[in-house]
Amino acid sequence: MQELELLDVVQRHVLLINMAQKFNTEFNYRYQVIGCTPWEKIKTLKGFLEGRIRAQALEEVGNLKHQAKLSKLNYLKNGGEGLEHEILELKAEILEAESHEETLKEAFELTKDEIKILKKLLKELYVIAEPTRIEGYTDEQMFEANAANEFTVDIGREIQAEMIANGRPSPAKLRNAMSNPHTWNALKQVGLIPKQTKILEGNINPKLKIELKGVEDETV
């Protein structure tokens, strides 16, 4: 039982270190995160920032827990009628925590640096995105309003990459592009899909004759 409790302490400190350490470089945040459009990148970076801020808060949590253990040990040793094995177990936990102190300190410093990077990049992105904000819309509403635009750019780049690498897009990517008529039209406008190509559609009423017809392009 004592070994399991000590193991649990070790696992908690390893988890704390992993949460606090730096996840990404500025280069990765700037160029490699999910998002082809400014609003989508803002959405992604805000998620990272939220996680890093939570990790930073663990520094204070860890300090308070360590102080509590020291206080408890002092109490048990000075009139608290602590049993010897309880005192030894608590000493072991404190020593284990202190053995990670330097690693945790470095990890939390890296977390603070990462938060600065994320805030800087978000500030840059808001300069670009803010003029496009729909009046009265929150960030979450703008993420939703931008969803089709993000999808179009993303699938367009994937198709472009496939054409560069293989000379033609994959059926799966074309099928995915068909899910949004506006995306389909945008791809045709830039020449990634032949302009005469139409999306096939069947009868809405299943009782009617089974047949296919080409859907006319939708205008934005």
Side-chain angles (χ1 to χ4, degrees):
M1 184 65 179
Q2 295 176 8
E3 292 179 355
L4 288 175
E5 290 177 354
L6 188 58
L7 179 61
D8 185 50
V9 172
V10 174
Q11 289 174 335
R12 285 201 300 271
H13 280 89
V14 171
L15 178 62
L16 195 61
I17 292 169
N18 288 338
M19 289 189 69
Q21 68 186 353
K22 191 173 181 181
F23 274 0
N24 277 307
T25 63
E26 180 173 348
F27 176 87
N28 285 340
Y29 278 133
R30 188 180 292 276
Y31 299 110
Q32 298 297 311
V33 297
I34 295 173
C36 297
T37 57
W39 281 113
E40 189 67 16
K41 284 188 176 182
I42 288 173
K43 179 181 178 181
T44 302
L45 294 184
K46 283 183 72 174
F48 276 112
L49 180 60
E50 181 181 337
R52 298 292 80 208
I53 289 174
R54 286 203 307 269
Q56 186 182 28
L58 292 177
E59 181 177 15
E60 181 63 18
V61 172
N63 290 337
L64 290 173
K65 286 185 175 181
H66 186 60
Q67 291 173 24
K69 289 182 186 295
L70 291 173
S71 179
K72 183 178 179 181
L73 178 61
N74 185 59
Y75 169 76
L76 292 175
K77 291 170 63 178
N78 297 283
E81 299 182 355
L83 299 175
E84 183 180 7
H85 75 277
E86 292 177 330
I87 293 174
L88 291 174
E89 286 175 6
L90 194 53
K91 280 184 176 180
E93 289 183 13
I94 291 170
L95 286 172
E96 180 64 36
E98 290 176 346
S99 72
H100 291 287
E101 189 173 341
E102 285 303 313
T103 305
L104 277 171
K105 183 179 179 181
E106 182 182 1
F108 282 120
E109 286 302 316
L110 290 172
T111 298
K112 291 175 184 176
D113 290 341
E114 194 168 4
I115 288 172
K116 290 178 183 177
I117 290 171
L118 286 165
K119 287 183 175 180
K120 181 183 75 171
L121 294 178
L122 280 168
K123 185 178 179 180
E124 292 175 7
L125 285 168
Y126 274 117
V127 170
I128 299 170
E130 199 60 47
T132 70
R133 185 187 295 274
I134 300 170
E135 186 176 355
Y137 270 40
T138 64
D139 279 3
E140 287 298 324
Q141 289 173 316
M142 284 305 303
F143 300 153
E144 180 62 30
N146 182 63
N149 184 41
E150 171 66 25
F151 173 77
T152 300
V153 179
D154 184 53
I155 196 71
R157 288 180 177 177
E158 289 185 359
I159 289 175
Q160 182 184 35
E162 289 182 341
M163 293 181 72
I164 293 171
N166 304 319
R168 59 186 176 84
S170 66
K173 290 294 187 299
L174 290 176
R175 178 66 182 84
N176 198 13
M178 290 179 182
S179 64
N180 184 342
H182 298 304
T183 297
W184 185 254
N185 293 344
L187 293 174
K188 291 204 290 187
Q189 289 170 11
V190 295
L192 290 177
I193 294 172
K195 288 191 175 182
Q196 68 275 16
T197 308
K198 294 183 179 181
I199 298 175
L200 295 177
E201 185 181 75
N203 282 321
I204 297 174
N205 189 341
K207 294 184 291 185
L208 298 177
K209 178 183 177 182
I210 296 176
E211 60 182 359
L212 295 170
K213 59 182 178 180
V215 179
E216 294 299 325
D217 292 348
E218 290 192 17
T219 55
V220 179

